[in-house]
Amino acid sequence: MFEGHDPYLVALSVVIAILGGYTGFGLTARIRGTPDASHRLLLAGAAFFLAIGIWTMHFVGMLAAPLPSGTVYLVLPTIVSFLICALVVGISLFFVSTGEPSLLRVASSAVLLGLGIASMHYVGMHGLSGDFGMTHDAAMVVLSVGIAIVTAYGGLRAFLARQGGVQLALSAVAFGVAVSGMHYTAMAGMHLVAPSEGSHHHIEGLAASSQMLSLVVALLCFVIAAGFLLSLVPDPRKKSVAQADMVAAGPAMLAADVPSADASSAPTSPRLRATTPLGGIGQPPRAAPAPRLPVEGADGTHFIATADIRSVRADAHYTKVHDGTRERMCPWSISEAEAQLDPGLFVRVHRSHIIAIPHVTLVRKEGDGAIVELDGPSPHRVPVSRAKIAEVKARLGLARRHA
């Protein structure tokens, strides 16, 4: 498969594919935790870096291949190969970044991602021009596409595990294997023959030499490396959320340190416990939970009864309230909503989600955390962090609370 190839360029091509995958999947992972206005920008950036990773890996691999002297690269098919790849990869990422990651969604995304890799390769190969013809072994074509799809599925599964940087690295490695494995398997099934024997036809048009291609590839390698390094910079929003959680945990920790005798001697302790915020912003307990939450409409601010609320989701400095039918914008932050809601009915199950326990219809373990489904005309699902699984099960009567 690698006979005659430059081993250093082969290794570089694999590394480029992995770095492109890490950057692209890293951007995709941020889509669910950002406001809706940023989704398209992040999705476009993720598709761009994955497509750049595929495209650059392919042409670094071509520079490593023992091609005949005088081989040139036709510009139009080369550009079209990148555009097709970016479009297909973007659709694939859209499937896994929105909605619940069902088996059908993940499998469809893997097929699209594998076809995007394969289409980039064979359209790019069509851009080769020189004093030769080109043939492909049908069996190797099928095998190369199968490798791309299967390894892409593994990469998406690792990515959707959402258990931290290790899974992101694994998904990037699987992506690199998908791209480079497909490329070099397809190259093993490609044969250059005399022009009269092959089916490859020369195409007239603007062409670039191998030296020009090397300059373009070097520039794109720099872009991928820069994107990879930027993806390693910590997200300031995560830091601020962690600090807010520490502040929120402070009052709860102080309350836990109060001797049990004092708590039992205070006649109002049940009332104080019932009105304590769910763990949000460390403000003094309110006299009573808010009976309604404000939501913004086209004609002004409306109010929705807390009994109708299924879930509250953080959206930048605001939240989105789901009433079982649709989401509506609430001007409160997630911490303020947590402090206002009745802790006997609501629980914060994730740093970005609050749910109404009476409306839970399903709870299921998924990855390192869990998923709960909330009822209504349009049932929806909410993630539960690992630290909150025991509390949710206890509130649902599935496990006993620890004294």
Side-chain angles (χ1 to χ4, degrees), residues 204-226:
E204 298 296 333
L206 185 63
S209 64
S210 298
Q211 291 77 11
M212 181 63 68
L213 180 66
S214 300
L215 294 176
V216 175
V217 166
L219 176 62
L220 294 179
C221 288
F222 173 79
V223 171
I224 292 177

Side-chain angles (χ1 to χ4, degrees), residues 128-200:
L128 284 178
S129 182
D131 190 20
F132 54 82
M134 186 184 301
T135 61
H136 300 277
D137 292 341
M140 297 300 284
V141 171
V142 174
L143 178 61
S144 64
V145 175
I147 290 174
I149 294 175
V150 171
T151 50
Y153 179 82
L156 291 175
R157 272 299 177 193
F159 167 71
L160 291 171
R162 300 172 182 272
Q163 295 178 3
V166 175
Q167 274 62 33
L168 181 58
L170 289 176
S171 65
V173 171
F175 176 79
V177 172
V179 178
S180 56
M182 182 274 150
H183 174 88
Y184 291 111
T185 301
M187 290 295 289
M190 183 197 75
H191 304 284
L192 300 181
V193 296
S196 59
E197 300 177 15
S199 59
H200 181 78

Side-chain angles (χ1 to χ4, degrees), residues 5 112-113 116 197 217 263 274 372 397:
H5 282 69
L112 283 173
L113 186 56
E197 300 177 15
V217 166
V372 294

Side-chain angles (χ1 to χ4, degrees), residues 25 28-33 93 95-101 155-168 171 350-351 353 366-371 383-386:
F25 283 131
T28 306
R30 298 187 181 186
I31 290 178
R32 290 179 181 268
L93 293 181
F95 280 166
V96 295
S97 62
T98 59
E100 294 300 322
L156 291 175
R157 272 299 177 193
F159 167 71
L160 291 171
R162 300 172 182 272
Q163 295 178 3
V166 175
Q167 274 62 33
L168 181 58
S171 65
H350 188 276
R351 70 185 181 200
H353 295 276
E366 183 166 302
D368 203 32
I371 291 289
V384 179
S385 66
R386 179 177 59 180

Side-chain angles (χ1 to χ4, degrees), residues 9 16 56 66 72 90 96 105 136 156 181 199 207 227 234 242 248 296 311 333 348 372:
L9 288 178
I16 287 297
T56 307
V72 295
V96 295
R105 274 181 176 269
H136 300 277
L156 291 175
S199 59
E296 301 296 337
S311 66
S333 67
R348 189 167 181 174
V372 294

Side-chain angles (χ1 to χ4, degrees), residues 24-284:
F25 283 131
L27 289 173
T28 306
R30 298 187 181 186
I31 290 178
R32 290 179 181 268
T34 57
D36 292 342
S38 302
H39 287 185
R40 294 179 182 178
L41 183 60
L42 286 173
L43 182 62
F48 172 79
F49 273 103
L50 287 180
I52 285 290
I54 297 170
W55 194 92
T56 307
M57 180 274 140
H58 170 81
F59 284 102
V60 171
M62 295 307 299
L63 293 174
L67 298 176
S69 59
T71 300
V72 295
Y73 299 84
L74 299 176
V75 173
L76 182 58
T78 300
I79 294 177
V80 169
S81 68
F82 172 78
L83 296 178
I84 293 176
C85 179
L87 177 62
V88 177
V89 170
I91 296 173
S92 172
L93 293 181
F94 176 77
F95 280 166
V96 295
S97 62
T98 59
E100 294 300 322
S102 63
L103 177 62
L104 179 60
R105 274 181 176 269
V106 178
S108 300
S109 300
V111 171
L112 283 173
L113 186 56
L115 292 178
I117 296 170
S119 63
M120 191 277 122
H121 174 86
Y122 285 106
V123 174
M125 294 300 294
H126 184 70
L128 284 178
S129 182
D131 190 20
F132 54 82
M134 186 184 301
T135 61
H136 300 277
D137 292 341
M140 297 300 284
V141 171
V142 174
L143 178 61
S144 64
V145 175
I147 290 174
I149 294 175
V150 171
T151 50
Y153 179 82
L156 291 175
R157 272 299 177 193
F159 167 71
L160 291 171
R162 300 172 182 272
Q163 295 178 3
V166 175
Q167 274 62 33
L168 181 58
L170 289 176
S171 65
V173 171
F175 176 79
V177 172
V179 178
S180 56
M182 182 274 150
H183 174 88
Y184 291 111
T185 301
M187 290 295 289
M190 183 197 75
H191 304 284
L192 300 181
V193 296
S196 59
E197 300 177 15
S199 59
H200 181 78
H201 301 283
H202 297 288
I203 303 176
E204 298 296 333
L206 185 63
S209 64
S210 298
Q211 291 77 11
M212 181 63 68
L213 180 66
S214 300
L215 294 176
V216 175
V217 166
L219 176 62
L220 294 179
C221 288
F222 173 79
V223 171
I224 292 177
F228 171 72
L229 293 176
L230 289 175
S231 69
L232 298 180
V233 177
D235 189 351
R237 291 173 300 176
K238 292 183 179 179
K239 184 177 179 181
S240 62
V241 168
Q243 292 174 345
D245 290 343
M246 291 179 63
V247 173
M253 294 176 64
L254 292 174
D257 291 338
V258 176
S260 57
D262 295 342
S264 60
S265 63
T268 59
S269 58
R271 176 175 177 80
L272 290 176
R273 183 175 181 180
T275 57
T276 300
L278 303 180
I281 56 179
Q283 295 179 348

